[in-house]
Amino acid sequence: MSVPTPISSVDTLPGRVTKALVDVLCERKVALHEPRFEGNEAKYLQQCLESTFVSSVGPFVDRFEAELAAYTGVRHAIAVVNGTAALHVALLLAGVQPGDEVLVPALTFVATANAVLYCSAVPHFVDSSFTTLGLDPLALREHLAARCELRDGHCVNHETGRVVSAVVPMHTFGHPVDIETLLEVAREFRITVVEDAAESLGSTWHGRHTGGFGLLGTLSFNGNKTITTGGGGAILTNDSTLARRAKHLTTTAKLPHRWAFEHDALGYNYRMPNINAALGVAQLEQLPAIVQSKRCLYRRYAQAFDGMVGARLFTEPPGSSSNYWLQALLLDETLADQRDAVLAATNDAGYMTRPCWNLMPTMAPMNGSPAAALPVAQSLAARIINLPSSAFLA
Ligand SMILES: *Cc1c(COP(=O)(O)O)cnc(C)c1O
């Protein structure tokens, strides 16, 4: 019998990263992100069952919406079936018309771009920032200055002739984009801002919660997000008219009447069921503690990766407070070719690590979509590794 040779030693990057994970996590098998139900979840779900209000009517939906608005400081929250549906309706409410272009970061989850396609609009992909991992507003300004012009108060892409009606910044892994500069650029070019805040519940930029800066913002409560309702999402807005419209469109656009079925627009059955909202109310009670734990986990990882040759842990952008939804390790540019070896070594050791998303323009449904130069997004996509990030790991 020969002595097994270790797959990787601390002389190699995969070995060093694995060793750092052992130091922080100890446990043998750790998932990327898991929910925990340690509050009033069972109690509220039981109340739903006893009342028989498990579906599209019930008090937990109103309560969840009111508590989301209170937590985020955004005036209105409309709970829906998932974050993708929230984006779809938010874009419709932002006035995105069929054939318009909507600016979307190339480095995002596919839902951001899919929602644009659901509106029969065209995603137009733009580059990211090394500081925030999200949309780079200065690169965007340069790109728009070269590609677009104002005609009758609309921003028009002079290469395609299409109106560029909205921009959807996404707060990547919970880290806020430079929203103030982005709002300026959007104003200059008459483009409406809809924030994809699916990953950033609990993240603030100069003390204000993400999702409340644009005309509309959206959240997700999928099982892998900071808090979960099973599946779920929400539309955020400070505009009362848009909030009423959001509720109307996501509840089949039915006019209130004791018995008549009159629908005055093409509506959607996107309302969040009461039973999901019950879970959400219980999870929301624990959100401040969850965010604190995730920030604490960041500090523990930061210590373990401090001074490591070849990789560094991503830190929240200046002026922001991140929920650190997913912890991100950035390999040095010159070591990007070792990404898959690091993924293999850490997964073999029982730690679920993942690369980030493939860039949107490479995906079949986005074929032929316009795009800016994407040097930063390409660099980031090649060398980001997400680490186990559940709150309870802290
Ligand atoms: C999770 C997520 C969404 C929405 O996802 P759903 O699963 O539909 O709730 C949208 N955008 C981003 C960036 C996400 O991470």
Side-chain angles (χ1 to χ4, degrees):
M1 288 285 289
S2 64
V3 181
T5 45
I7 312 161
S8 51
S9 79
V10 290
D11 297 336
T12 67
L13 184 62
R16 286 197 296 277
V17 173
T18 307
K19 166 79 169 51
L21 293 187
V22 171
D23 288 348
V24 174
L25 301 171
C26 310
E27 288 107 311
R28 260 197 55 240
K29 272 211 163 297
V30 183
L32 189 69
H33 203 285
E34 285 178 88
R36 281 275 163 103
F37 304 111
E38 293 171 331
N40 286 319
E41 286 87 350
K43 181 176 149 192
Y44 296 161
L45 289 173
Q46 188 66 31
Q47 286 176 16
C48 277
L49 297 178
E50 281 165 7
S51 71
T52 76
F53 286 104
V54 296
S55 189
S56 56
V57 176
F60 280 112
V61 175
D62 293 340
R63 194 168 149 193
F64 186 49
E65 290 177 340
E67 288 172 15
L68 270 176
Y71 177 84
T72 58
V74 183
R75 206 164 297 147
H76 306 281
I78 296 87
V80 296
V81 286
N82 58 53
T84 312
L87 274 170
H88 178 195
V89 171
L91 289 172
L92 293 174
L93 291 172
V96 172
Q97 300 291 319
D100 283 358
E101 289 182 13
V102 176
L103 301 159
V104 171
L107 187 66
T108 185
F109 177 58
V110 71
T112 322
N114 279 348
V116 174
L117 293 174
Y118 298 163
C119 300
S120 302
V122 178
H124 180 149
F125 296 108
V126 293
D127 205 14
S128 309
S129 146
F130 284 125
T131 314
T132 67
L133 306 181
L135 197 153
D136 181 341
L138 297 178
L140 178 66
R141 178 185 273 143
E142 265 186 49
H143 178 66
L144 291 175
R147 279 278 193 106
C148 300
E149 64 203 19
L150 286 178
R151 283 187 211 154
D152 307 326
H154 295 290
C155 178
V156 176
N157 180 338
H158 52 62
E159 285 182 13
T160 62
R162 289 190 288 247
V163 172
V164 179
S165 52
V167 59
V168 190
M170 195 279 278
H171 306 292
T172 311
F173 310 144
H175 305 298
V177 303
D178 175 1
I179 192 75
E180 190 170 280
T181 311
L182 180 65
L183 289 171
E184 265 173 38
V185 173
R187 235 183 335 259
E188 280 167 36
F189 287 90
R190 312 279 197 282
I191 295 170
T192 304
V193 177
V194 175
E195 290 173 77
D196 183 350
E199 304 184 354
S200 64
L201 180 63
S203 301
T204 58
W205 196 83
H206 290 274
R208 277 179 61 194
H209 200 282
T210 50
F213 292 93
L215 184 64
L216 298 129
T218 62
L219 299 171
S220 167
F221 312 108
N222 191 35
N224 63 343
K225 292 298 196 318
T226 300
I227 64 166
T228 186
T229 59
I235 299 168
L236 302 175
T237 184
N238 285 306
D239 183 310
S240 307
T241 306
L242 286 176
R244 267 196 306 278
R245 195 85 195 134
K247 181 56 99 178
H248 189 60
L249 286 185
T250 56
T251 55
T252 73
K254 184 180 180 300
L255 296 179
H257 190 277
R258 281 164 69 198
W259 52 75
F261 287 94
E262 184 64 29
H263 303 263
D264 66 351
L266 176 58
Y268 300 87
N269 181 15
Y270 281 173
R271 185 186 173 98
M272 176 182 281
N274 197 49
I275 196 162
N276 298 83
L279 199 52
V281 170
Q283 287 266 287
L284 203 48
E285 290 168 353
Q286 298 158 75
L287 180 56
I290 289 171
V291 171
Q292 229 174 23
S293 295
K294 291 171 79 64
R295 293 180 60 79
C296 173
L297 182 62
Y298 160 75
R299 289 191 294 273
R300 297 194 45 208
Y301 274 129
Q303 228 166 18
F305 284 101
D306 184 37
M308 180 172 292
V309 176
R312 69 179 173 88
L313 192 67
F314 187 80
T315 299
E316 65 195 356
S320 73
S321 179
S322 176
N323 66 4
Y324 283 96
W325 170 57
L326 282 189
Q327 308 286 343
L329 192 68
L330 263 81
L331 306 188
D332 287 0
E333 300 242 13
T334 52
L335 297 175
D337 61 346
Q338 292 200 33
R339 185 193 73 177
D340 290 359
V342 173
L343 289 167
T346 49
N347 278 281
D348 286 350
Y351 305 117
M352 194 193 275
T353 58
R354 288 288 180 267
C356 76
W357 316 281
N358 289 347
L359 292 188
M360 289 304 112
T362 67
M363 297 198 187
M366 321 302 162
N367 223 325
S369 293
L374 303 168
V376 178
Q378 273 158 355
S379 165
L380 288 171
R383 59 198 179 89
I384 286 176
I385 292 180
N386 288 122
L387 307 175
S389 302
S390 306
F392 63 84
L393 294 173

